[in-house]
Amino acid sequence: MASPGAVLFDAYGTLFDVYSVGQAAERLFPGQGAALAVAWRDKQIEYTRLVTTSNDGAHYRPFSELTRAGLRYSARRLGLPMDDAAEQQLMDAYRTLSAFEESREVLQALKARGVVTGILSNGDPGMLDAAVRSAGLHGLLDHMLSVDGIRKYKTHPEAYQLGAVATGLPPAQIAFVSCNGWDALGATWYGFRTLWINRYQLPFEELGTQPERIGHSLRDVLAFF
Amino acid sequence: MASPGAVLFDAYGTLFDVYSVGQAAERLFPGQGAALAVAWRDKQIEYTRLVTTSNDGAHYRPFSELTRAGLRYSARRLGLPMDDAAEQQLMDAYRTLSAFEESREVLQALKARGVVTGILSNGDPGMLDAAVRSAGLHGLLDHMLSVDGIRKYKTHPEAYQLGAVATGLPPAQIAFVSCNGWDALGATWYGFRTLWINRYQLPFEELGTQPERIGHSLRDVLAFF
């Protein structure tokens, strides 16, 4: 099979470690940092789905707002006394998530091979830009694609379609990389060539569709070329 | 405000206790029954959202199939050695979930007052019918509404619209009762008069919308009349 004409990466959980906020959370709420990071992430994603499914986008809010809403819910759910300062501290930490250790070298290797690269993310542009700069990944990404313009989150097909439109390539010529199983599934359903990075040794979703490839580090994307 | 012209209940988690499968799970996997019941429920609901968001229903599968898929994922996720017989045993348990202790008396009280009652559920008709009969609730429900015909799960507005079409009432004259916060939220967005039964002392969703009422038992629905 020919190499893809472009590689698009999911951002949150794939290039950036969403659980790295657990350290800031642990300093604020000793013993509860990891639990808060996990609950926060789950709720944030749940909210993207609720607003996308309900009323055709009428309840859309940018990812940064859903991230804050997910944090508020999770802190209440866990009974953590989060004041405004603590909330803002955690939101600031989310804007400057750690990149995974191989994120930069993999993007550099792709650029060295002349591959078109990009991010296709639920994140709104301000949030994405802050994360990319903070992680030193700017200049390594040809496309920065956010669902914010269409007001529908992944796994809505219009979200993935942003990648085809931006690159001018048919979906079958675009590689899509995600550590999130549901995202790799949705992208496969849409028609991308998908690589699921199974960073946490999880089963893949049991919905009868498999990603084209499964890897354990972002480095595995290089095998497409 | 006038009393509603009909009351529609969510089924799974509201009339029926989805966590009652934890007992069967505990017998099969000692020490892991409750964890499996929680993971199973979460994944089942996640799958309803993924298939509804992706490709406009092209990946729809009936709730019973998503329930089985969620069970398979959750057992693998928790490292439980579930063979075909154990899987079928748990699926059978799911078809005959326990009703909450007040479900029957509340439906009887509504019928005694002449209120139109119904279920509006993600469940497919076969699954719903089995659950209603097993719990002895048949004859107390005027409408058995399943999303299966429209191939879109709640919180899609077309799912809630089934209630308006079946009763012939505008949404603002229909009371909708759910223990699931996301369902009470989606129903409120749709336009129903909503009662969220906060059975597990949870925070409500942090998306800027509140249900009309919050209760702690299904009995609280009687206050509408």
Side-chain angles (χ1 to χ4, degrees), chain A residues 43 46-47 49-55 59 61 66 69 72-73 76-77 153 155-157 182 185-186 189-190 202-208, chain B residues 43 46-47 49-55 59 61 66 69 72-73 76-77 153 155-157 182 185-186 189-190 202-208:
Chain A
K43 204 69 188 178
E46 183 179 7
Y47 283 170
R49 294 169 180 166
L50 290 179
V51 301
T52 300
T53 305
S54 293
N55 297 26
H59 298 288
R61 295 187 191 188
L66 295 186
R72 285 181 182 170
Y73 180 93
R76 290 180 64 196
R77 175 79 178 81
Y153 287 101
T155 58
H156 197 291
W182 52 268
L185 176 69
W189 278 343
Y190 172 68
L202 295 173
F204 194 67
E205 306 298 351
E206 288 275 352
L207 289 177
Chain B
K43 204 68 189 179
E46 183 179 6
Y47 282 169
R49 294 168 179 166
L50 290 180
V51 300
T52 301
T53 305
S54 293
N55 297 26
H59 298 288
R61 295 188 193 188
L66 295 186
R72 286 182 182 169
Y73 180 94
R76 290 180 63 196
R77 175 79 177 82
Y153 287 102
T155 57
H156 197 291
W182 53 267
L185 176 69
W189 278 343
Y190 172 69
L202 295 173
F204 194 67
E205 306 297 351
E206 287 276 352
L207 289 176

Side-chain angles (χ1 to χ4, degrees), chain A residues 11 21 23-25 58 64 71 80 88-89 96 126 136 150 156 163-164 196 211 223:
Chain A
V21 290
Q23 294 164 28
S64 50
L71 172 58
L80 304 176
Q88 194 53 49
Q89 203 171 321
T96 56
I150 59 162
H156 197 291
W196 176 46

